Amino acid sequence: MVTKQGNLYFIDVNPAMKKAALDFAVEIISTDNQYSRLLPENMRRSNNFNLKQKLEIQRTFVGKLGEIVFREFLISQGKESNDNQMFEIFEGQMNVDKFDFETKDNQSVDIKSGFRKIHKRLLVNVEQFDRNPKKYYVAVWFNGADSDENNKLIVLNSITQGIIYGYATYADLTRAEVKNFGEGDARSIFYNQLRGIDNLLDKF
């Protein structure tokens, strides 16, 4: 179910959506096809393989779930989505999909997922932003419950809802604050300062 409150859209996350995202995450991590930029800097050098893998699976899971939720949102609004590569795995850590979605005038859209109570901003890693820029960045936040706060782990199955807070343009982010939040330098904009998603919806 998709409901709207003000400028925000709330999307129910069902077990099938979570299973699809988790299956994708487990496969891509188990085949070593994910670049570990997603990990906190100290964890990239860690010998704790089990914790490292859990973090990689978690970040890939919520990232893919964000894409699934945004697709459900587009469908609910009668829009088409260019998501043919959503579950395609590209071999090699440096080979990634060019974008998550595409507007009707072929502009790239990237989905950025938050998943803990402390997550209040849309974040884009500076390296990713410079190397593979997108036209639009959409913020989706999930109501995950912490299982290990110190190691930033959540209970994956605790997620029941995604909230689309809005979006930022590439130009917006070039003017945004750059700060290291523990996973390398990132450009960031608070969720409550984003553009309303209805403006982007018109482009699909």
Side-chain angles (χ1 to χ4, degrees), residues 98-112 122 124 128-129 132-138 167-175 189 195 199-200 203-204:
K98 294 181 180 179
F99 53 82
D100 294 337
F101 294 88
E102 194 173 49
T103 63
K104 59 188 176 185
D105 60 345
N106 305 119
Q107 298 296 321
S108 55
V109 180
D110 204 22
I111 311 302
K112 295 298 180 185
L122 181 151
V124 182
Q128 183 188 58
F129 184 78
N132 190 15
K134 310 300 192 303
K135 179 68 174 180
Y136 304 107
Y137 295 84
V138 173
Y167 75 100
T169 66
Y170 174 83
D172 292 336
L173 283 161
T174 61
R175 298 186 292 269
I189 300 177
R195 298 169 183 259
N199 294 326
L200 184 60
K203 300 182 184 298
F204 284 88

Side-chain angles (χ1 to χ4, degrees), residues 23 35 60 74 88 97 99 126 174 185 189 191-192 199:
D23 287 350
Y35 180 37
T60 305
L74 290 178
E88 184 173 345
D97 52 341
F99 53 82
V126 167
T174 61
D185 286 347
I189 300 177
Y191 288 154
N192 62 8
N199 294 326

Side-chain angles (χ1 to χ4, degrees), residues 65-107:
L65 194 60
E67 296 174 29
I68 293 171
V69 159
F70 189 70
R71 179 180 63 180
E72 290 300 309
F73 164 66
L74 290 178
I75 292 171
S76 75
Q77 304 302 305
K79 301 291 185 177
E80 295 182 0
S81 64
N82 183 347
D83 54 16
N84 296 330
Q85 296 181 337
M86 179 173 285
F87 293 102
E88 184 173 345
I89 293 176
F90 297 86
E91 292 190 14
Q93 292 186 358
M94 302 308 293
N95 294 323
V96 297
D97 52 341
K98 294 181 180 179
F99 53 82
D100 294 337
F101 294 88
E102 194 173 49
T103 63
K104 59 188 176 185
D105 60 345
N106 305 119
Q107 298 296 321

Side-chain angles (χ1 to χ4, degrees), residues 126-187:
V126 167
E127 178 189 344
Q128 183 188 58
F129 184 78
D130 293 340
R131 190 182 71 234
N132 190 15
K134 310 300 192 303
K135 179 68 174 180
Y136 304 107
Y137 295 84
V138 173
V140 178
W141 182 84
F142 293 109
N143 62 337
D146 283 337
S147 63
D148 183 347
E149 184 176 343
N150 291 334
N151 287 308
K152 303 181 179 181
L153 288 171
I154 63 168
V155 180
L156 300 186
N157 200 42
S158 66
I159 293 174
T160 59
Q161 189 177 70
I163 303 174
I164 298 177
Y165 271 94
Y167 75 100
T169 66
Y170 174 83
D172 292 336
L173 283 161
T174 61
R175 298 186 292 269
E177 175 187 19
V178 175
K179 183 178 177 180
N180 190 332
F181 292 89
E183 300 174 13
D185 286 347
R187 295 184 177 275

